[in-house]
């Protein structure tokens, strides 16, 4: 814990030199720690939580993020971006993630200039260096600051600090754009996004916190924690009925269990290196 506290101290020093900041706020544990520490170091009047709605994220996540930011006691700005209006994002290639992040960061940079803030901060952490993350390139090009990375903080340390600060989301499961459920090369659209979203929400209601329903045309590939697969199978009749109602012809369970970025496993090492 000593090393984690040292990193937290470094995070504080980084924030102290920033004057007025916008925090790209999703309501996840990483951005919540950034927002909380920014308020502590800079004061509530110098911190703005910007919550961004998109067709590729659940409405409930947006609404929850707004409420959480308000409970932290900072000013909150609600806005939106239209990701499906950009054909480069709709095309759903590995490069689409870059264009998605650039749309977000460009929007936030415009707001920072318009509203008089000095920096835009996001919640990227050191773990993000180990996966396919086109957002890293977009972040760097846009001049956005990833202060948790600058303080060398990993997810386990972020959770430790968040628990110590009594943040309610300290153990919240990770969330991601619903586009992450769609294989590269399959165009994004509202219908597919809604189909995946409704399928996941149904399984969550059965008592599974971490769920991904990966879309493969007429096949649903369900990921839950490996230790929960047997429990999931106890609900197989309910799940089969609901997901076929939603338009899937076949329903499968991934025997490897839930893992972040499983759609990236098909990417070559060259593509990974090119974007990160």
């Amino acid at each position: 814990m000593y090393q984690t506290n040292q990193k937290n101290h470094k995070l504080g020093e980084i924030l102290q030199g920033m004057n007025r900041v916008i925090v790209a706020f999703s309501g996840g544990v990483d951005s919540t720690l950034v927002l909380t520490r920014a308020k502590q170091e800079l004061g509530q009047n110098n911190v703005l939580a910007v919550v961004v709605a998109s067709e590729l994220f659940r409405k409930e996540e947006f609404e929850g993020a707004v409420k959480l930011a308000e409970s932290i006691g900072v000013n909150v700005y609600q806005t939106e971006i239209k990701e499906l209006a950009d054909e480069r994002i709709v095309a759903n290639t590995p490069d689409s993630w870059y264009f998605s992040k650039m749309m977000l960061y460009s929007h936030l940079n415009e707001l920072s200039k318009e509203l008089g803030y000095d920096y835009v901060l996001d919640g990227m952490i050191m773990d993000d260096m180990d996966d396919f993350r086109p957002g890293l390139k977009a972040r760097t090009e846009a001049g956005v600051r990833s202060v948790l990375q600058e303080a060398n903080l990993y997810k386990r340390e972020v959770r430790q600090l968040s628990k110590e600060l009594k943040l309610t989301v300290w153990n919240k499961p990770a969330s991601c754009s619903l586009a992450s459920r769609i294989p590269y090369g399959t165009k994004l659209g509202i219908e597919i996004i809604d189909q995946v979203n409704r399928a996941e929400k149904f399984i969550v209601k059965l008592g599974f916190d971490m769920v991904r329903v990966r879309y493969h045309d007429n096949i649903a590939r369900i990921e839950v924690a490996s230790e929960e697969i047997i429990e999931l199978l106890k609900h197989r009749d309910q799940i089969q009925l609901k997901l076929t109602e939603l338009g899937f012809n076949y329903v499968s369970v991934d025997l490897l269990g839930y893992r972040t970025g499983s759609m990236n496993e098909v990417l070559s090492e060259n593509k990974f290196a090119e974007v990160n």
Side-chain angles (χ1 to χ4, degrees):
M1 191 65 189
Y2 173 77
Q3 187 179 32
T4 301
N5 287 332
Q6 289 294 101
K7 292 181 180 183
N8 188 35
H9 179 72
K10 181 179 179 181
L11 174 61
E13 291 181 333
I14 292 168
L15 289 166
Q16 287 168 15
M18 289 189 163
N19 195 22
R20 303 188 78 226
V21 300
I22 277 177
V23 176
F25 190 69
S26 67
V29 60
D30 303 324
S31 63
T32 300
L33 181 61
V34 173
L35 186 65
T36 301
R37 292 291 287 112
K39 179 194 173 186
Q40 289 177 340
E41 299 296 342
L42 300 174
Q44 68 180 75
N45 293 327
N46 292 318
V47 179
L48 180 67
V50 176
V51 187
V52 184
S54 162
E55 315 99 314
L56 301 183
F57 285 87
R58 293 192 176 103
K59 179 181 179 183
E60 295 89 343
E61 290 181 5
F62 173 82
E63 294 171 346
V66 171
K67 290 180 182 178
L68 179 57
E70 290 173 344
S71 73
I72 290 172
V74 298
N75 294 319
V76 182
Y77 189 100
Q78 301 178 46
T79 185
E80 66 176 337
I81 55 177
K82 297 290 187 181
E83 295 188 78
L84 295 183
D86 189 328
E87 286 300 322
R88 297 170 300 182
I89 298 174
V90 171
N92 194 27
T93 68
D95 294 325
S96 293
W97 290 97
Y98 167 81
F99 295 114
S100 176
K101 284 296 187 181
M102 279 305 297
M103 178 182 288
L104 171 64
Y105 290 143
S106 296
H107 185 57
L108 294 173
N109 278 335
E110 289 173 6
L111 284 176
S112 69
K113 292 177 183 177
E114 177 185 335
L115 301 175
Y117 287 82
D118 300 293
Y119 293 96
V120 173
L121 313 183
D122 72 7
M124 285 194 184
I125 55 177
M126 292 304 295
D127 306 67
D128 293 325
M129 303 293 290
D130 297 328
D131 193 13
F132 175 73
R133 299 285 181 178
L136 292 170
K137 180 183 178 192
R139 182 275 318 273
T140 301
E141 291 180 1
V144 170
R145 298 282 295 273
S146 300
V147 290
L148 299 180
Q149 278 189 356
E150 292 178 31
N152 201 39
L153 282 159
Y154 288 83
K155 177 67 80 176
R156 66 182 184 279
E157 296 169 320
V158 169
R159 292 197 186 280
Q160 285 175 0
L161 290 173
S162 298
K163 186 176 183 180
E164 192 175 274
L165 290 168
K166 295 181 170 54
L167 303 182
T168 58
V169 295
W170 74 269
N171 63 343
K172 181 181 177 181
S175 61
C176 186
S177 166
L178 290 165
S180 67
R181 283 65 153 175
I182 318 300
Y184 295 119
T186 300
K187 286 192 173 184
L188 303 180
I190 287 295
E191 296 81 6
I192 293 176
I193 294 299
D194 182 62
Q195 185 180 5
V196 167
N197 185 30
R198 292 171 66 187
E200 286 189 359
K201 288 169 69 174
F202 176 78
I203 298 173
V204 167
K205 286 182 179 178
L206 294 176
F208 299 89
D209 292 330
M210 182 55 69
V211 178
R212 293 290 185 266
V213 175
R214 310 293 187 183
Y215 176 97
H216 299 275
D217 194 12
N218 62 342
I219 301 172
R221 175 168 59 89
I222 302 171
E223 295 179 12
V224 295
S226 56
E227 64 271 18
E228 293 186 325
I229 290 176
I230 293 176
E231 182 64 27
L232 181 78
L233 293 176
K234 294 178 182 179
H235 301 274
R236 63 183 183 183
D237 292 339
Q238 292 171 271
I239 295 170
Q240 178 73 30
L241 178 61
K242 181 63 177 180
L243 268 61
T244 51
E245 285 179 358
L246 292 175
F248 292 105
N249 293 334
Y250 304 97
V251 179
S252 66
V253 177
D254 192 314
L255 298 181
L256 291 178
Y258 168 78
R259 57 213 183 273
T260 59
S262 71
M263 287 300 196
N264 295 331
E265 292 168 358
V266 300
L267 297 178
S268 68
E269 292 184 5
N270 288 340
K271 189 62 183 177
F272 186 98
E274 174 187 329
V275 178
N276 284 285

PDB file of all heavy atoms in Angstrom, residues 180-209:
ATOM      1  N   SER A 180     -17.911  -2.853 -28.826  1.00  0.00           N
ATOM      2  CA  SER A 180     -16.907  -3.875 -28.522  1.00  0.00           C
ATOM      3  C   SER A 180     -17.478  -5.283 -28.600  1.00  0.00           C
ATOM      4  O   SER A 180     -16.730  -6.259 -28.567  1.00  0.00           O
ATOM      5  CB  SER A 180     -16.314  -3.642 -27.130  1.00  0.00           C
ATOM      6  OG  SER A 180     -17.293  -3.852 -26.125  1.00  0.00           O
ATOM      7  N   ARG A 181     -18.791  -5.405 -28.723  1.00  0.00           N
ATOM      8  CA  ARG A 181     -19.422  -6.719 -28.845  1.00  0.00           C
ATOM      9  C   ARG A 181     -19.561  -7.169 -30.302  1.00  0.00           C
ATOM     10  O   ARG A 181     -19.968  -8.297 -30.568  1.00  0.00           O
ATOM     11  CB  ARG A 181     -20.830  -6.697 -28.248  1.00  0.00           C
ATOM     12  CG  ARG A 181     -20.906  -6.740 -26.741  1.00  0.00           C
ATOM     13  CD  ARG A 181     -20.333  -5.553 -26.043  1.00  0.00           C
ATOM     14  NE  ARG A 181     -20.967  -5.328 -24.738  1.00  0.00           N
ATOM     15  CZ  ARG A 181     -20.569  -4.403 -23.903  1.00  0.00           C
ATOM     16  NH1 ARG A 181     -19.541  -3.619 -24.189  1.00  0.00           N
ATOM     17  NH2 ARG A 181     -21.194  -4.247 -22.746  1.00  0.00           N
ATOM     18  N   ILE A 182     -19.227  -6.291 -31.221  1.00  0.00           N
ATOM     19  CA  ILE A 182     -19.459  -6.556 -32.640  1.00  0.00           C
ATOM     20  C   ILE A 182     -18.125  -6.860 -33.328  1.00  0.00           C
ATOM     21  O   ILE A 182     -17.172  -6.078 -33.193  1.00  0.00           O
ATOM     22  CB  ILE A 182     -20.115  -5.345 -33.342  1.00  0.00           C
ATOM     23  CG1 ILE A 182     -21.221  -4.734 -32.470  1.00  0.00           C
ATOM     24  CG2 ILE A 182     -20.644  -5.752 -34.714  1.00  0.00           C
ATOM     25  CD1 ILE A 182     -22.355  -5.666 -32.131  1.00  0.00           C
ATOM     26  N   PRO A 183     -18.005  -7.956 -34.083  1.00  0.00           N
ATOM     27  CA  PRO A 183     -16.723  -8.294 -34.719  1.00  0.00           C
ATOM     28  C   PRO A 183     -16.340  -7.277 -35.793  1.00  0.00           C
ATOM     29  O   PRO A 183     -17.208  -6.703 -36.462  1.00  0.00           O
ATOM     30  CB  PRO A 183     -16.977  -9.678 -35.326  1.00  0.00           C
ATOM     31  CG  PRO A 183     -18.448  -9.757 -35.506  1.00  0.00           C
ATOM     32  CD  PRO A 183     -19.051  -8.954 -34.387  1.00  0.00           C
ATOM     33  N   TYR A 184     -15.044  -7.057 -35.928  1.00  0.00           N
ATOM     34  CA  TYR A 184     -14.553  -6.146 -36.958  1.00  0.00           C
ATOM     35  C   TYR A 184     -15.069  -6.573 -38.330  1.00  0.00           C
ATOM     36  O   TYR A 184     -15.113  -7.758 -38.655  1.00  0.00           O
ATOM     37  CB  TYR A 184     -13.027  -6.114 -36.955  1.00  0.00           C
ATOM     38  CG  TYR A 184     -12.446  -5.549 -35.684  1.00  0.00           C
ATOM     39  CD1 TYR A 184     -11.621  -6.318 -34.861  1.00  0.00           C
ATOM     40  CD2 TYR A 184     -12.728  -4.245 -35.290  1.00  0.00           C
ATOM     41  CE1 TYR A 184     -11.089  -5.801 -33.682  1.00  0.00           C
ATOM     42  CE2 TYR A 184     -12.213  -3.724 -34.113  1.00  0.00           C
ATOM     43  CZ  TYR A 184     -11.395  -4.499 -33.316  1.00  0.00           C
ATOM     44  OH  TYR A 184     -10.883  -3.978 -32.148  1.00  0.00           O
ATOM     45  N   GLY A 185     -15.487  -5.584 -39.105  1.00  0.00           N
ATOM     46  CA  GLY A 185     -15.991  -5.850 -40.439  1.00  0.00           C
ATOM     47  C   GLY A 185     -17.503  -5.895 -40.521  1.00  0.00           C
ATOM     48  O   GLY A 185     -18.075  -5.776 -41.605  1.00  0.00           O
ATOM     49  N   THR A 186     -18.164  -6.063 -39.377  1.00  0.00           N
ATOM     50  CA  THR A 186     -19.625  -6.001 -39.330  1.00  0.00           C
ATOM     51  C   THR A 186     -20.034  -4.565 -39.033  1.00  0.00           C
ATOM     52  O   THR A 186     -19.680  -4.026 -37.978  1.00  0.00           O
ATOM     53  CB  THR A 186     -20.195  -6.926 -38.237  1.00  0.00           C
ATOM     54  OG1 THR A 186     -19.813  -8.272 -38.522  1.00  0.00           O
ATOM     55  CG2 THR A 186     -21.708  -6.831 -38.177  1.00  0.00           C
ATOM     56  N   LYS A 187     -20.753  -3.938 -39.944  1.00  0.00           N
ATOM     57  CA  LYS A 187     -21.112  -2.533 -39.773  1.00  0.00           C
ATOM     58  C   LYS A 187     -21.995  -2.322 -38.547  1.00  0.00           C
ATOM     59  O   LYS A 187     -22.859  -3.147 -38.238  1.00  0.00           O
ATOM     60  CB  LYS A 187     -21.810  -2.003 -41.026  1.00  0.00           C
ATOM     61  CG  LYS A 187     -20.873  -1.770 -42.198  1.00  0.00           C
ATOM     62  CD  LYS A 187     -21.563  -0.977 -43.299  1.00  0.00           C
ATOM     63  CE  LYS A 187     -20.591  -0.599 -44.402  1.00  0.00           C
ATOM     64  NZ  LYS A 187     -21.211   0.258 -45.434  1.00  0.00           N
ATOM     65  N   LEU A 188     -21.764  -1.223 -37.881  1.00  0.00           N
ATOM     66  CA  LEU A 188     -22.546  -0.875 -36.706  1.00  0.00           C
ATOM     67  C   LEU A 188     -23.872  -0.250 -37.114  1.00  0.00           C
ATOM     68  O   LEU A 188     -23.947   0.468 -38.112  1.00  0.00           O
ATOM     69  CB  LEU A 188     -21.774   0.104 -35.818  1.00  0.00           C
ATOM     70  CG  LEU A 188     -20.394  -0.339 -35.338  1.00  0.00           C
ATOM     71  CD1 LEU A 188     -19.770   0.754 -34.482  1.00  0.00           C
ATOM     72  CD2 LEU A 188     -20.481  -1.645 -34.558  1.00  0.00           C
ATOM     73  N   GLY A 189     -24.882  -0.528 -36.348  1.00  0.00           N
ATOM     74  CA  GLY A 189     -26.196   0.070 -36.581  1.00  0.00           C
ATOM     75  C   GLY A 189     -27.017  -0.009 -35.316  1.00  0.00           C
ATOM     76  O   GLY A 189     -26.743  -0.824 -34.428  1.00  0.00           O
ATOM     77  N   ILE A 190     -28.031   0.831 -35.211  1.00  0.00           N
ATOM     78  CA  ILE A 190     -28.867   0.888 -34.023  1.00  0.00           C
ATOM     79  C   ILE A 190     -29.504  -0.468 -33.722  1.00  0.00           C
ATOM     80  O   ILE A 190     -29.606  -0.883 -32.567  1.00  0.00           O
ATOM     81  CB  ILE A 190     -29.956   1.966 -34.174  1.00  0.00           C
ATOM     82  CG1 ILE A 190     -29.340   3.369 -34.064  1.00  0.00           C
ATOM     83  CG2 ILE A 190     -31.032   1.800 -33.115  1.00  0.00           C
ATOM     84  CD1 ILE A 190     -28.746   3.680 -32.709  1.00  0.00           C
ATOM     85  N   GLU A 191     -29.923  -1.186 -34.759  1.00  0.00           N
ATOM     86  CA  GLU A 191     -30.618  -2.457 -34.552  1.00  0.00           C
ATOM     87  C   GLU A 191     -29.703  -3.479 -33.869  1.00  0.00           C
ATOM     88  O   GLU A 191     -30.100  -4.161 -32.909  1.00  0.00           O
ATOM     89  CB  GLU A 191     -31.126  -3.022 -35.885  1.00  0.00           C
ATOM     90  CG  GLU A 191     -32.165  -2.175 -36.573  1.00  0.00           C
ATOM     91  CD  GLU A 191     -31.563  -1.000 -37.347  1.00  0.00           C
ATOM     92  OE1 GLU A 191     -30.314  -0.920 -37.441  1.00  0.00           O
ATOM     93  OE2 GLU A 191     -32.343  -0.161 -37.838  1.00  0.00           O
ATOM     94  N   ILE A 192     -28.478  -3.612 -34.366  1.00  0.00           N
ATOM     95  CA  ILE A 192     -27.538  -4.561 -33.783  1.00  0.00           C
ATOM     96  C   ILE A 192     -27.171  -4.150 -32.358  1.00  0.00           C
ATOM     97  O   ILE A 192     -27.136  -4.982 -31.441  1.00  0.00           O
ATOM     98  CB  ILE A 192     -26.265  -4.672 -34.649  1.00  0.00           C
ATOM     99  CG1 ILE A 192     -26.589  -5.323 -35.995  1.00  0.00           C
ATOM    100  CG2 ILE A 192     -25.177  -5.460 -33.926  1.00  0.00           C
ATOM    101  CD1 ILE A 192     -25.409  -5.385 -36.952  1.00  0.00           C
ATOM    102  N   ILE A 193     -26.911  -2.871 -32.171  1.00  0.00           N
ATOM    103  CA  ILE A 193     -26.546  -2.368 -30.845  1.00  0.00           C
ATOM    104  C   ILE A 193     -27.669  -2.640 -29.854  1.00  0.00           C
ATOM    105  O   ILE A 193     -27.437  -3.091 -28.719  1.00  0.00           O
ATOM    106  CB  ILE A 193     -26.236  -0.854 -30.907  1.00  0.00           C
ATOM    107  CG1 ILE A 193     -24.980  -0.590 -31.756  1.00  0.00           C
ATOM    108  CG2 ILE A 193     -26.078  -0.275 -29.509  1.00  0.00           C
ATOM    109  CD1 ILE A 193     -23.723  -1.226 -31.230  1.00  0.00           C
ATOM    110  N   ASP A 194     -28.905  -2.394 -30.261  1.00  0.00           N
ATOM    111  CA  ASP A 194     -30.049  -2.615 -29.381  1.00  0.00           C
ATOM    112  C   ASP A 194     -30.222  -4.098 -29.065  1.00  0.00           C
ATOM    113  O   ASP A 194     -30.549  -4.479 -27.935  1.00  0.00           O
ATOM    114  CB  ASP A 194     -31.320  -2.065 -30.026  1.00  0.00           C
ATOM    115  CG  ASP A 194     -32.545  -2.220 -29.145  1.00  0.00           C
ATOM    116  OD1 ASP A 194     -32.547  -1.630 -28.040  1.00  0.00           O
ATOM    117  OD2 ASP A 194     -33.478  -2.954 -29.536  1.00  0.00           O
ATOM    118  N   GLN A 195     -29.993  -4.957 -30.058  1.00  0.00           N
ATOM    119  CA  GLN A 195     -30.121  -6.397 -29.866  1.00  0.00           C
ATOM    120  C   GLN A 195     -29.140  -6.897 -28.809  1.00  0.00           C
ATOM    121  O   GLN A 195     -29.512  -7.642 -27.890  1.00  0.00           O
ATOM    122  CB  GLN A 195     -29.879  -7.116 -31.195  1.00  0.00           C
ATOM    123  CG  GLN A 195     -30.093  -8.616 -31.165  1.00  0.00           C
ATOM    124  CD  GLN A 195     -29.822  -9.254 -32.529  1.00  0.00           C
ATOM    125  OE1 GLN A 195     -29.385  -8.594 -33.468  1.00  0.00           O
ATOM    126  NE2 GLN A 195     -30.076 -10.546 -32.626  1.00  0.00           N
ATOM    127  N   VAL A 196     -27.891  -6.482 -28.913  1.00  0.00           N
ATOM    128  CA  VAL A 196     -26.865  -6.866 -27.948  1.00  0.00           C
ATOM    129  C   VAL A 196     -27.169  -6.281 -26.567  1.00  0.00           C
ATOM    130  O   VAL A 196     -27.064  -6.971 -25.540  1.00  0.00           O
ATOM    131  CB  VAL A 196     -25.478  -6.406 -28.435  1.00  0.00           C
ATOM    132  CG1 VAL A 196     -24.453  -6.505 -27.320  1.00  0.00           C
ATOM    133  CG2 VAL A 196     -25.039  -7.224 -29.635  1.00  0.00           C
ATOM    134  N   ASN A 197     -27.553  -5.028 -26.537  1.00  0.00           N
ATOM    135  CA  ASN A 197     -27.848  -4.344 -25.284  1.00  0.00           C
ATOM    136  C   ASN A 197     -28.964  -5.045 -24.515  1.00  0.00           C
ATOM    137  O   ASN A 197     -28.842  -5.323 -23.315  1.00  0.00           O
ATOM    138  CB  ASN A 197     -28.235  -2.897 -25.576  1.00  0.00           C
ATOM    139  CG  ASN A 197     -28.444  -2.075 -24.318  1.00  0.00           C
ATOM    140  OD1 ASN A 197     -27.826  -2.327 -23.285  1.00  0.00           O
ATOM    141  ND2 ASN A 197     -29.332  -1.097 -24.387  1.00  0.00           N
ATOM    142  N   ARG A 198     -30.041  -5.365 -25.197  1.00  0.00           N
ATOM    143  CA  ARG A 198     -31.177  -6.011 -24.545  1.00  0.00           C
ATOM    144  C   ARG A 198     -30.826  -7.431 -24.078  1.00  0.00           C
ATOM    145  O   ARG A 198     -31.278  -7.875 -23.018  1.00  0.00           O
ATOM    146  CB  ARG A 198     -32.383  -6.022 -25.492  1.00  0.00           C
ATOM    147  CG  ARG A 198     -32.952  -4.633 -25.748  1.00  0.00           C
ATOM    148  CD  ARG A 198     -33.996  -4.639 -26.853  1.00  0.00           C
ATOM    149  NE  ARG A 198     -35.182  -5.383 -26.461  1.00  0.00           N
ATOM    150  CZ  ARG A 198     -36.187  -5.662 -27.299  1.00  0.00           C
ATOM    151  NH1 ARG A 198     -36.119  -5.276 -28.578  1.00  0.00           N
ATOM    152  NH2 ARG A 198     -37.248  -6.341 -26.875  1.00  0.00           N
ATOM    153  N   ALA A 199     -30.006  -8.116 -24.848  1.00  0.00           N
ATOM    154  CA  ALA A 199     -29.580  -9.462 -24.457  1.00  0.00           C
ATOM    155  C   ALA A 199     -28.748  -9.415 -23.173  1.00  0.00           C
ATOM    156  O   ALA A 199     -28.962 -10.209 -22.244  1.00  0.00           O
ATOM    157  CB  ALA A 199     -28.783 -10.109 -25.588  1.00  0.00           C
ATOM    158  N   GLU A 200     -27.806  -8.483 -23.112  1.00  0.00           N
ATOM    159  CA  GLU A 200     -26.962  -8.375 -21.922  1.00  0.00           C
ATOM    160  C   GLU A 200     -27.771  -7.971 -20.699  1.00  0.00           C
ATOM    161  O   GLU A 200     -27.579  -8.525 -19.601  1.00  0.00           O
ATOM    162  CB  GLU A 200     -25.846  -7.361 -22.161  1.00  0.00           C
ATOM    163  CG  GLU A 200     -24.763  -7.875 -23.086  1.00  0.00           C
ATOM    164  CD  GLU A 200     -23.551  -6.959 -23.154  1.00  0.00           C
ATOM    165  OE1 GLU A 200     -23.552  -5.900 -22.488  1.00  0.00           O
ATOM    166  OE2 GLU A 200     -22.611  -7.316 -23.867  1.00  0.00           O
ATOM    167  N   LYS A 201     -28.667  -7.020 -20.867  1.00  0.00           N
ATOM    168  CA  LYS A 201     -29.464  -6.559 -19.732  1.00  0.00           C
ATOM    169  C   LYS A 201     -30.329  -7.685 -19.168  1.00  0.00           C
ATOM    170  O   LYS A 201     -30.543  -7.781 -17.954  1.00  0.00           O
ATOM    171  CB  LYS A 201     -30.321  -5.359 -20.148  1.00  0.00           C
ATOM    172  CG  LYS A 201     -29.513  -4.086 -20.369  1.00  0.00           C
ATOM    173  CD  LYS A 201     -30.310  -2.979 -21.019  1.00  0.00           C
ATOM    174  CE  LYS A 201     -31.368  -2.414 -20.119  1.00  0.00           C
ATOM    175  NZ  LYS A 201     -32.036  -1.247 -20.726  1.00  0.00           N
ATOM    176  N   PHE A 202     -30.818  -8.545 -20.047  1.00  0.00           N
ATOM    177  CA  PHE A 202     -31.622  -9.681 -19.585  1.00  0.00           C
ATOM    178  C   PHE A 202     -30.781 -10.615 -18.712  1.00  0.00           C
ATOM    179  O   PHE A 202     -31.229 -11.053 -17.649  1.00  0.00           O
ATOM    180  CB  PHE A 202     -32.182 -10.457 -20.783  1.00  0.00           C
ATOM    181  CG  PHE A 202     -32.944 -11.690 -20.399  1.00  0.00           C
ATOM    182  CD1 PHE A 202     -34.247 -11.597 -19.931  1.00  0.00           C
ATOM    183  CD2 PHE A 202     -32.356 -12.953 -20.495  1.00  0.00           C
ATOM    184  CE1 PHE A 202     -34.951 -12.738 -19.545  1.00  0.00           C
ATOM    185  CE2 PHE A 202     -33.055 -14.095 -20.122  1.00  0.00           C
ATOM    186  CZ  PHE A 202     -34.355 -13.982 -19.649  1.00  0.00           C
ATOM    187  N   ILE A 203     -29.568 -10.924 -19.159  1.00  0.00           N
ATOM    188  CA  ILE A 203     -28.715 -11.844 -18.406  1.00  0.00           C
ATOM    189  C   ILE A 203     -28.261 -11.213 -17.091  1.00  0.00           C
ATOM    190  O   ILE A 203     -28.156 -11.886 -16.067  1.00  0.00           O
ATOM    191  CB  ILE A 203     -27.522 -12.288 -19.267  1.00  0.00           C
ATOM    192  CG1 ILE A 203     -28.030 -13.044 -20.506  1.00  0.00           C
ATOM    193  CG2 ILE A 203     -26.567 -13.169 -18.472  1.00  0.00           C
ATOM    194  CD1 ILE A 203     -26.962 -13.390 -21.525  1.00  0.00           C
ATOM    195  N   VAL A 204     -27.995  -9.907 -17.109  1.00  0.00           N
ATOM    196  CA  VAL A 204     -27.632  -9.204 -15.871  1.00  0.00           C
ATOM    197  C   VAL A 204     -28.760  -9.347 -14.840  1.00  0.00           C
ATOM    198  O   VAL A 204     -28.516  -9.572 -13.651  1.00  0.00           O
ATOM    199  CB  VAL A 204     -27.341  -7.714 -16.154  1.00  0.00           C
ATOM    200  CG1 VAL A 204     -27.281  -6.920 -14.851  1.00  0.00           C
ATOM    201  CG2 VAL A 204     -26.025  -7.567 -16.913  1.00  0.00           C
ATOM    202  N   LYS A 205     -30.007  -9.238 -15.293  1.00  0.00           N
ATOM    203  CA  LYS A 205     -31.145  -9.357 -14.378  1.00  0.00           C
ATOM    204  C   LYS A 205     -31.246 -10.744 -13.755  1.00  0.00           C
ATOM    205  O   LYS A 205     -31.880 -10.916 -12.709  1.00  0.00           O
ATOM    206  CB  LYS A 205     -32.445  -9.017 -15.112  1.00  0.00           C
ATOM    207  CG  LYS A 205     -32.627  -7.529 -15.389  1.00  0.00           C
ATOM    208  CD  LYS A 205     -33.955  -7.250 -16.068  1.00  0.00           C
ATOM    209  CE  LYS A 205     -34.136  -5.755 -16.317  1.00  0.00           C
ATOM    210  NZ  LYS A 205     -35.412  -5.458 -17.014  1.00  0.00           N
ATOM    211  N   LEU A 206     -30.624 -11.730 -14.377  1.00  0.00           N
ATOM    212  CA  LEU A 206     -30.613 -13.082 -13.821  1.00  0.00           C
ATOM    213  C   LEU A 206     -29.597 -13.226 -12.692  1.00  0.00           C
ATOM    214  O   LEU A 206     -29.518 -14.273 -12.051  1.00  0.00           O
ATOM    215  CB  LEU A 206     -30.309 -14.105 -14.920  1.00  0.00           C
ATOM    216  CG  LEU A 206     -31.363 -14.246 -16.024  1.00  0.00           C
ATOM    217  CD1 LEU A 206     -30.874 -15.221 -17.093  1.00  0.00           C
ATOM    218  CD2 LEU A 206     -32.703 -14.707 -15.456  1.00  0.00           C
ATOM    219  N   GLY A 207     -28.787 -12.169 -12.478  1.00  0.00           N
ATOM    220  CA  GLY A 207     -27.857 -12.181 -11.360  1.00  0.00           C
ATOM    221  C   GLY A 207     -26.388 -12.229 -11.717  1.00  0.00           C
ATOM    222  O   GLY A 207     -25.543 -12.497 -10.855  1.00  0.00           O
ATOM    223  N   PHE A 208     -26.064 -11.927 -12.974  1.00  0.00           N
ATOM    224  CA  PHE A 208     -24.660 -11.958 -13.416  1.00  0.00           C
ATOM    225  C   PHE A 208     -24.177 -10.522 -13.624  1.00  0.00           C
ATOM    226  O   PHE A 208     -24.704  -9.789 -14.457  1.00  0.00           O
ATOM    227  CB  PHE A 208     -24.538 -12.766 -14.709  1.00  0.00           C
ATOM    228  CG  PHE A 208     -24.965 -14.204 -14.545  1.00  0.00           C
ATOM    229  CD1 PHE A 208     -26.285 -14.573 -14.749  1.00  0.00           C
ATOM    230  CD2 PHE A 208     -24.057 -15.175 -14.160  1.00  0.00           C
ATOM    231  CE1 PHE A 208     -26.693 -15.884 -14.570  1.00  0.00           C
ATOM    232  CE2 PHE A 208     -24.453 -16.494 -13.988  1.00  0.00           C
ATOM    233  CZ  PHE A 208     -25.781 -16.847 -14.195  1.00  0.00           C
ATOM    234  N   ASP A 209     -23.157 -10.128 -12.859  1.00  0.00           N
ATOM    235  CA  ASP A 209     -22.684  -8.744 -12.903  1.00  0.00           C
ATOM    236  C   ASP A 209     -21.861  -8.438 -14.153  1.00  0.00           C
ATOM    237  O   ASP A 209     -21.987  -7.373 -14.747  1.00  0.00           O
ATOM    238  CB  ASP A 209     -21.845  -8.434 -11.664  1.00  0.00           C
ATOM    239  CG  ASP A 209     -22.689  -8.426 -10.396  1.00  0.00           C
ATOM    240  OD1 ASP A 209     -23.883  -8.102 -10.489  1.00  0.00           O
ATOM    241  OD2 ASP A 209     -22.141  -8.754  -9.321  1.00  0.00           O
TER     242      ASP A 209
END
